[in-house]
Amino acid sequence: MSLPEQQYQLRVYYEDTDAGGNVYHANYLNYCERARTEWLRELGINQSFFLEQNCGFVVRTLAMDNVAAAKLDDLLTVTSTISELKRASVRFLQQITNQHGQVLCQIKVLVAYIDLQRAKPCAIPNQILGALKGVS
Amino acid sequence: MSLPEQQYQLRVYYEDTDAGGNVYHANYLNYCERARTEWLRELGINQSFFLEQNCGFVVRTLAMDNVAAAKLDDLLTVTSTISELKRASVRFLQQITNQHGQVLCQIKVLVAYIDLQRAKPCAIPNQILGALKGVS
Amino acid sequence: MSLPEQQYQLRVYYEDTDAGGNVYHANYLNYCERARTEWLRELGINQSFFLEQNCGFVVRTLAMDNVAAAKLDDLLTVTSTISELKRASVRFLQQITNQHGQVLCQIKVLVAYIDLQRAKPCAIPNQILGALKGVS
Amino acid sequence: MSLPEQQYQLRVYYEDTDAGGNVYHANYLNYCERARTEWLRELGINQSFFLEQNCGFVVRTLAMDNVAAAKLDDLLTVTSTISELKRASVRFLQQITNQHGQVLCQIKVLVAYIDLQRAKPCAIPNQILGALKGVS
């Protein structure tokens, strides 16, 4: 039995907001990366293990559509699904909603697995690939 | 029955680290503010309610002692106590430990309650003051 | 005489990097917003003036293509052009290059002008629109 | 003849502010670190060179006194002096003022030079120490 999607909850703090009174747009990217990280963790994978071998996921392309703004104290949910899984990259669809169920932001992101030292793409380790296959 | 201290847990993500491989030092201040915010929330207080009235806590003075570094994927605990509670300010002692119980960072912070528009100190609302008195 | 494009330079500091050794991807969005802000400033416009009237630009949609990574101490240039100027929104093309002339990142961003209090789109003030028309 | 102090200018962007309308307090630590970095750069030292050897400065202790708030579009100056220079650490006094000459924040910070891999203090390289001796 697989998880077709993952849900990650987070709270908006002062650090996330800007003088316009809303969450600063770049922080939605952080939220989505936290969600991807927690999904991996649920699947038994800690990225720090792979970082020690100088490997990791990097964001290659990203499309963000902001529909409404998040505010201080909002309780946000990032819902993530995998739309494509290849040997060296993963494509995620991620949606951020607030505590009222309102959709705030949709993100499509392609993350590539790379050798961080040589800045070269490389195959996703079988341990990670297998775990992701189970949920995609 | 009062809570003599509050504990808040958080995870270290890529966004928190720097090229030295550790959590960037300024982020410890963010972690401590999240912990203070969650303590208030446990006591029934959402700061966004007071922000709408243009009031809020600001950090007046702060002393930080970094003993060891936090790393990617660490699960940190911020333990907070109130060391002084006045009409318009609160002094917190906060300590950050990692999942091995190692103390990473100690912070003493004086937060003042101010009118954000006029940048003037003002009395902490009774709703907040009463709640904090119960736990200090 | 118009400026068909604007160039903004910035330095990469420890705060911008992550444990992978590169600039954390969300920070490219910050860099692009700094560049847009400085372009407005060169045209005589300070956004804080409009913020006091509770109006400002927000990012509506954004597409980012990351080609290579920025590193600590890199001197980056953000080159910005306006690809579409409408009554209530502006579309920018922005490219980030490093000190070797290498293209690192390309961003297409649609920013909308909104009433921040009511979260409603509104017409870009004539002072800003006129200034942008001169350079687009 | 030496520089008894260094001045570094920076602009406040939306990313730096929070929903209270001011610069989020932790960002003052970033500003001070940028100023220390630029001082080293003026002295001919790029920290990325030493980072490649897995060495760098980390903040050991820090005291911050916030007197007034910085706002969007403010042009800030960080004035830095060295108050103590030892074999493996440097103590800086740093003050942040705005474009009206108003003092906003004072920071005393002790940075230690460490082997980042082993998390052990080590002697500041002679190239850096000599450069700092010339200005302290």
Side-chain angles (χ1 to χ4, degrees), chain A residues 24 33 60 62 64 66, chain C residues 24 33 59-60 62 64 66:
Chain A
Y24 184 72
E33 211 237 342
R60 268 289 288 114
L62 183 143
M64 175 164 68
N66 291 326
Chain C
Y24 185 72
E33 210 235 344
V59 169
R60 267 287 290 113
L62 184 142
M64 175 163 68
N66 290 326

Side-chain angles (χ1 to χ4, degrees), chain C residues 41 46 48 52, chain D residues 7 9-12 68-79 95-105:
Chain C
R41 198 185 323 281
N46 281 338
S48 50
E52 279 164 29
Chain D
Q7 294 206 323
Q9 276 203 330
L10 67 105
R11 185 69 72 168
V12 174
K71 302 239 168 224
L72 183 66
D73 286 337
D74 275 358
L75 183 63
L76 305 182
T77 301
V78 184
T79 303
Q95 182 173 281
I96 302 175
T97 49
N98 65 14
Q99 65 276 15
H100 310 299
Q102 188 184 14
V103 176
L104 306 182
C105 179

Side-chain angles (χ1 to χ4, degrees), chain C residues 27-66:
Chain C
N27 291 327
Y28 293 124
L29 273 55
N30 300 20
Y31 299 167
C32 285
E33 210 235 344
R34 293 182 206 172
R36 296 191 301 270
T37 294
E38 290 303 332
W39 200 357
L40 286 173
R41 198 185 323 281
E42 284 177 16
L43 298 171
I45 292 153
N46 281 338
Q47 291 183 87
S48 50
F49 173 78
F50 296 95
L51 179 61
E52 279 164 29
Q53 300 159 46
N54 269 302
C55 285
F57 287 105
V58 295
V59 169
R60 267 287 290 113
T61 66
L62 184 142
M64 175 163 68
D65 190 5
N66 290 326

